[in-house]
Structures are given as structure tokens and as C-alpha cells.
């Protein structure tokens, strides 16, 4: 089964959403919680698995749902269908500040690998599966463990990323070193591995982790400047601890600085 052919427009700068136009009987599948708005006449249905051609038997549905469970996602996805005669539109929003990237799977020979929390939505018929690492180092130290998401098919898929995005086209044998959390996704022809940073000072005091991700071409790589895990760590570090008192927002005066700048909360 070929994936449904959908038209789309991405709106916004730092908090983007994608608007998808559905012809009659066309559909799209999305992660639970990504829905933003839709025209009247679109039917919403919760499905077990991803609803692709690999997923149309009882065992296929169970296996598809199990794959999603391994990636930390819900067992269920939401499908949206245009059940009326005219064109209908619906929108899906990125869950945190960043960018939405449109992936035409035909241009990636039907397969694209991405971080396990990057998928946003896709045309009905695209398979959302898992990609196991065959390398022990990558599995233990790669940040994403042994498992990444695998998008397969011939339709459009949409992934989201934090901060600003960069695209690198790697030539055969060309190697790129990246922070493990900064990878959005890459062409399935790209070889992904883990490399030790090296050096005692780098290891103990560098603050950048012990390992790089190394991506070797040929293929396309998408990179994000602000992984959600990095953002969450900064928010957690700045959150009030022990009774709700904050850390002075970085002021060397601490609480006295709060009094001087007008923040008189106690």
C-alpha cells in the first residue's frame, strides 16, 4: 500500500506547527498529544499500532504496538481521516520550542532513522518502527540506547527538533562528530557509532559527556541545537529546591539582589 499523498504548510518560527491538507479519504497518523486543530468533517480514530500495511493483521497490530512500547511511546496512535467530499485541513504542533522538519521518504529510499522522541506525524501508510543498534558501544553510551525510531514508506513524515536545526550532506567516508543528544535523524546509509572523548581533563572537567556520536557518510544528517534533555536539565537545575527558595537568578547578591531589583517575594 502506498502512503497517502498529502499537502502541507509549516507555520511559525520558534514554536512551529504543520498544517496538513487532506483530500477526500486521505488520512494522517500522529503521536497522541500533538493535535492542534482541524476542520469539521475530519474523523479522528485511536488505533493500535501505526496503521501501515505492515500492521493490518492481528499479530501485525500487536507487533507494531510492541515496537512503539520499546521506544517509550504510547501503544496507541491517533489517525485522522477526511470523510467528506471537499478538502479539509488539520494541524499538529511541536511540543517545545524548535523546528518541524518535513521528510519525504521517497528521497531517502524509503527509510529514515531518527531519535525515538522526534516523530510528530506522517501520511497514513508510513510505518513507524524501531531500529536496533548492532554495536555494543552505541547501545551502552549512545544516549538513545540500542533503539532509535525507523520511518519507512513512500510518503511524507514530520519530525520535530529543539532550537535551531542544521543539515549536513556527508560524502562517502566523511565523518562528523556530534553530541549524542543533538542528533535529530539521518539517512539509513549513514553509519552511526560512538567515540570516546579521550583525555583525563576532558573526561573529568570538560562537561560535555564522555562520548561523541560519530556519523560517517554517505548521506544526510539533521542536527538540533537544543535537545529537550539539555533544556530539561537547565530548567531542573534552576528550579527552587527545599522550600521553594530560588537561586537568586544568577546574581552574585542572591536574595539581596532580589530586594534591590524589585523582586520582594518571600
Amino acid at each position: 500500500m502506498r502512503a497517502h499523498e498529502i499537502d502541507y504548510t509549516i507555520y511559525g518560527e520558534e514554536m512551529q506547527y504543520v498544517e496538513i491538507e487532506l483530500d477526500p479519504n486521505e488520512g494522517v497518523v500522529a503521536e497522541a498529544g500533538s493535535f492542534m486543530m482541524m476542520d469539521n468533517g475530519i474523523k479522528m480514530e485511536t488505533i493500535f499500532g501505526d496503521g501501515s500495511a505492515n500492521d493490518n493483521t492481528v499479530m501485525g497490530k500487536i507487533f507494531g504496538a510492541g515496537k512503539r512500547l520499546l521506544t517509550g511511546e504510547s501503544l496507541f496512535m491517533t489517525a485522522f481521516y477526511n470523510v467528506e467530499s471537499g478538502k479539509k485541513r488539520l494541524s499538529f504542533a511541536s511540543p517545545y520550542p524548535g523546528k518541524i522538519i518535513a521528510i519525504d521518504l521517497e528521497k531517502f529510499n524509503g527509510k529514515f532513522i531518527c531519535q525515538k522522541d522526534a516523530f510528530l506525524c506522517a501520511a497514513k501508510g508510513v510505518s513507524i518502527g524501531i531500529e536496533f543498534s548492532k554495536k555494543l558501544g552505541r547501545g551502552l553510551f549512545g544516549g538513545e540506547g540500542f533503539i532509535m525510531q525507523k520511518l519507512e514508506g513512500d510518503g511524507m513524515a514530520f519530525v520535530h527538533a529543539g532550537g535551531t536545526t542544521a543539515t549536513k550532506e556527508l560524502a562517502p567516508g566523511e565523518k562528523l562528530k556530534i553530541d549524542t543528544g543533538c542528533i535529530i535523524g539521518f539517512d539509513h546509509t549513514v553509519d552511526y557509532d560512538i567515540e570516546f572523548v579521550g583525555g583525563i581533563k576532558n573526561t573529568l572537567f570538560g562537561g560535555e559527556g564522555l562520548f561523541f556520536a560519530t556519523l560517517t557518510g554517505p548521506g544526510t544528517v539533521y542536527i538540533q541545537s537544543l535537545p529537550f534533555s539539555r533544556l530539561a536539565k537547565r530548567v531542573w537545575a534552576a528550579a527552587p529546591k527545599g522550600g521553594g527558595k530560588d537561586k537568586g537568578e544568577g546574581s552574585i547578591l542572591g536574595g539581596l539582589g532580589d530586594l534591590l531589583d524589585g523582586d520582594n517575594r518571600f
Side-chain angles (χ1 to χ4, degrees):
M1 181 183 75
R2 286 186 59 86
H4 293 187
E5 296 182 8
I6 58 175
D7 298 315
Y8 70 93
T9 305
I10 295 175
Y11 293 95
E13 295 297 331
E14 304 306 327
M15 287 294 292
Q16 294 188 325
Y17 72 92
V18 57
E19 181 184 81
I20 295 175
E21 183 179 83
L22 298 179
D23 291 329
N25 301 315
E26 283 185 344
V28 63
V29 293
E31 287 289 1
S34 62
F35 168 71
M36 179 179 170
M37 60 182 173
M38 64 182 177
D39 291 341
N40 188 38
I42 293 178
K43 177 185 176 183
M44 183 174 67
E45 178 185 359
T46 299
I47 60 175
F48 196 58
D50 58 23
S52 66
N54 301 327
D55 191 28
N56 54 14
T57 65
V58 174
M59 288 305 298
K61 291 179 183 296
I62 293 174
F63 183 65
K67 291 188 295 184
R68 290 181 49 73
L69 191 63
L70 285 173
T71 61
E73 305 292 349
S74 168
L75 289 173
F76 299 91
M77 298 188 75
T78 308
F80 300 82
Y81 304 94
N82 180 0
V83 296
E84 295 194 356
S85 57
K87 294 179 180 289
K88 300 294 179 180
R89 294 178 176 84
L90 73 162
S91 302
F92 302 95
S94 181
Y96 48 86
K99 302 294 183 182
I100 294 175
I101 302 171
I103 303 295
D104 185 348
L105 290 175
E106 280 196 320
K107 295 181 179 179
F108 289 90
N109 295 316
K111 183 177 177 182
F112 183 79
I113 311 300
C114 61
Q115 293 269 28
K116 63 184 181 181
D117 60 350
F119 174 73
L120 185 67
C121 60
K124 184 72 166 57
V126 171
S127 173
I128 300 97
I130 55 176
E131 178 77 1
F132 285 101
S133 173
K134 298 178 182 178
K135 298 181 179 179
L136 181 62
R138 171 181 158 187
L140 294 177
F141 308 113
E144 292 301 309
F146 285 95
I147 301 170
M148 297 185 77
Q149 273 190 329
K150 176 174 60 177
L151 307 178
E152 291 183 294
D154 52 17
M156 294 298 304
F158 301 88
V159 297
H160 62 83
T164 302
T165 62
T167 305
K168 297 290 185 180
E169 297 289 344
L170 300 182
E174 183 180 1
K175 180 182 290 188
L176 183 67
K177 296 182 180 181
I178 308 175
D179 179 273
T180 55
C182 288
I183 299 172
I184 304 168
F186 46 85
D187 199 320
H188 73 278
T189 57
V190 172
D191 182 66
Y192 173 36
D193 206 350
I194 295 299
E195 181 178 308
F196 183 59
V197 170
I200 297 297
K201 288 191 294 183
N202 290 335
T203 301
L204 295 180
F205 309 113
E208 297 297 337
L210 303 181
F211 300 89
F212 293 123
T214 60
L215 302 178
T216 306
T220 305
V221 178
Y222 291 92
I223 304 153
Q224 59 186 343
S225 66
L226 184 62
F228 181 72
S229 58
R230 185 179 297 176
L231 175 63
K233 288 177 182 177
R234 292 296 182 96
V235 172
W236 175 254
K241 305 290 193 304
K245 297 298 289 182
D246 64 22
K247 297 169 62 177
E249 297 183 349
S251 169
I252 61 172
L253 299 177
L256 178 59
D258 289 340
L259 292 175
L260 295 177
D261 68 11
D263 186 351
N264 298 319
R265 294 169 295 174
F266 293 97

